Structures are given as structure tokens and as C-alpha cells.
Amino acid sequence: AQTVTQSQPEMSVQEAETVTLSCTYDTSESDYYLFWYKQPPSRQMILVIRQEAYKQQNATENRFSVNFQKAAKSFSLKISDSQLGDAAMYFCAYPSALAASGTYKYIFGTGTRLKVLA
Amino acid sequence: DAGVTQSPTHLIKTRGQHVTLRCSPISGHKSVSWYQQVLGQGPQFIFQYYEKEERGRGNFPDRFSARQFPNYSSELNVNALLLGDSALYLCASSFWPGRGSGANVLTFGAGSRLTVL
């Protein structure tokens, strides 16, 4: 069964500095997607970045980038020039196939709470 | 464009009661999924509906049920509430419940916070 593990319950970063959040996963598939979602106190999960496993190039979205190590099954999120608005829970997620239906459910890690210090 | 809307935003129930949570997907999205997020944990998959048919069910008891209407909105019902059902219930929509490319990426609502006393 696929699993997603986030080993950092909480991280802190100074404003304008860089922080990296870790995620490891387990799957037997060769082609898949991985996601980072952000959940601020408003509770709404917001997509931060997406990586396609067959692409060797790491995804980048403005200040957010990933370090995708397929062989190691590692998918870390780097936030550069951290801002106060980046403070939130961050979840790593993996779409897992629902047997026979041809559709997918998301498996989430337990999350990392990011605090941004002024 | 309106995002995924959920109602109610907060509700308090007592053990043994029944609750109905509602979700309206983004216009044009035909798939709705429900997730339960217990405090301090990541969301756990409950149900997925596509074109009004159940396409997947997570490891939840039969007290949990759902349905999708012709306009693609959805309801999640929980009977015989237990204290452990206290959680944030998230609804997510996508055009198709696929792997995660393009329009298949999940868009979440702000959730319904259920407290069971």
C-alpha cells in the first residue's frame, strides 16, 4: 500500500530565509504525481506545487520548488524568501489508484506546521 | 468563479444524532470527494463520486454515506454520531477523478467543522 510520511511536525523559519520541508513516500508505481498542499488557519487546502514522476526536472512555482528524488522516494519542498503569509500546515499528497474504478484518491502525510518569524 | 462551497461551516451535535454536510463543486467539475481531517492529522479519504456514481470508499463504517445529485453537488451523511467523528470534513472537486494532471487536480472547500459532544 502506498504511504506518505512527513517526519517534521513543526518547522520555523525567519522571514526572508529559506526552509525545506521533507516528505517520503512508498509506491510500486513508476508513473505518478506528487503534490504539496498548504492549509492556512482559514482551513482551505491550497495547491502549492505539483511534480510528475516521469519528469526529471524539479517543479518550480515562484518562491516554491521541490527536490524530487525518485529512486529515494523523496519529495521535499523548498520555500525561498519566506513570508509571514507562508505560515500554515503543509501536506504532502500522493494520488493512489482506487482498484477497478480507474479513479484516484489522495493519500496525505500528517503535515508540517510552518512558523514564520518576523 | 465560485470555488468549492461547503455548508455548514461549523456545527455541534450530540452523540447518537445524525448530520448532513453539503458541498457544491466548482462549475464544470463532475467529481466530488470527501475527506475527514481529525485535529493534528492529514485528511483521510471517505468517498469519491463521479457522474453521480460512487467510485471509491475509504475505510469508514457504514454509518457514513454520501450521494451526488444531478447538478453534481453532494451530501455526506453520518448517522449515530460518536465522539470520534469530531473533525473537519473537507469536500474536494475535480473535472475527473484522475491521477492529478491538469483539470484532475483536486480543489478543496474550506470544510465543515463538526464537534460531537
Side-chain angles (χ1 to χ4, degrees):
Chain A
Q2 290 93 354
T3 58
V4 176
T5 302
Q6 294 179 251
S7 59
Q8 305 156 314
E10 189 172 292
M11 295 283 285
S12 295
V13 62
Q14 286 291 141
E15 202 175 0
E17 296 295 311
T18 296
V19 64
T20 298
L21 309 183
S22 301
C23 172
T24 59
Y25 60 95
D26 189 23
T27 182
S28 58
E29 295 182 312
S30 60
D31 185 22
Y32 49 87
Y33 287 78
L34 290 161
F35 298 86
W36 278 98
Y37 276 87
K38 167 185 176 181
Q39 188 177 40
S42 65
R43 310 181 321 198
Q44 186 161 11
M45 300 278 277
I46 302 166
L47 177 66
V48 175
I49 199 165
R50 173 180 64 194
Q51 175 75 41
E52 300 172 61
Y54 71 89
K55 289 187 175 181
Q56 294 185 337
Q57 186 174 6
N58 289 324
T60 299
E61 289 286 344
N62 300 314
R63 298 183 295 108
F64 299 87
S65 61
V66 301
N67 182 6
F68 174 53
Q69 303 287 331
K70 189 174 183 180
K73 296 180 180 175
S74 171
F75 181 59
S76 61
L77 175 68
K78 186 172 81 171
I79 306 174
S80 304
D81 186 25
S82 296
Q83 301 175 359
L84 295 176
D86 295 333
M89 284 291 289
Y90 286 81
F91 292 95
C92 180
Y94 174 92
S96 174
L98 287 166
S101 73
T103 62
Y104 292 80
K105 66 177 182 181
Y106 280 32
I107 298 174
F108 289 86
T110 52
T112 297
R113 181 174 300 282
L114 179 65
K115 295 184 176 181
V116 181
L117 309 175
Chain B
D1 286 341
V4 178
T5 58
Q6 292 187 243
S7 63
T9 55
H10 296 84
L11 68 167
I12 300 173
K13 295 285 189 178
T14 58
R15 282 176 294 177
Q17 284 190 312
H18 164 90
V19 68
T20 297
L21 308 178
R22 296 177 175 83
C23 172
S24 292
I26 289 175
S27 178
H29 282 191
K30 300 180 179 181
S31 175
V32 169
S33 298
W34 288 94
Y35 288 79
Q36 181 196 63
Q37 187 179 14
V38 173
L39 193 63
Q41 298 294 318
Q44 297 290 318
F45 173 73
I46 310 176
F47 282 111
Q48 182 187 90
Y49 278 78
Y50 177 63
E51 289 284 16
K52 293 153 283 184
E53 291 186 4
E54 182 183 306
R55 294 302 185 100
R57 182 187 182 112
N59 188 25
F60 282 81
D62 292 343
R63 298 185 296 106
F64 288 75
S65 64
R67 55 180 175 169
Q68 187 177 33
F69 299 99
N71 66 353
Y72 302 110
S73 67
S74 178
E75 282 183 354
L76 175 69
N77 295 283
V78 187
N79 292 325
L81 285 167
L82 303 174
L83 296 178
D85 295 331
S86 295
L88 179 67
Y89 289 85
L90 295 168
C91 173
S93 76
S94 63
F95 178 75
W96 179 72
R99 181 182 290 274
S101 63
N104 303 329
V105 174
L106 290 184
T107 301
F108 285 84
S112 295
R113 170 77 67 191
L114 171 64
T115 301
V116 182
L117 302 177

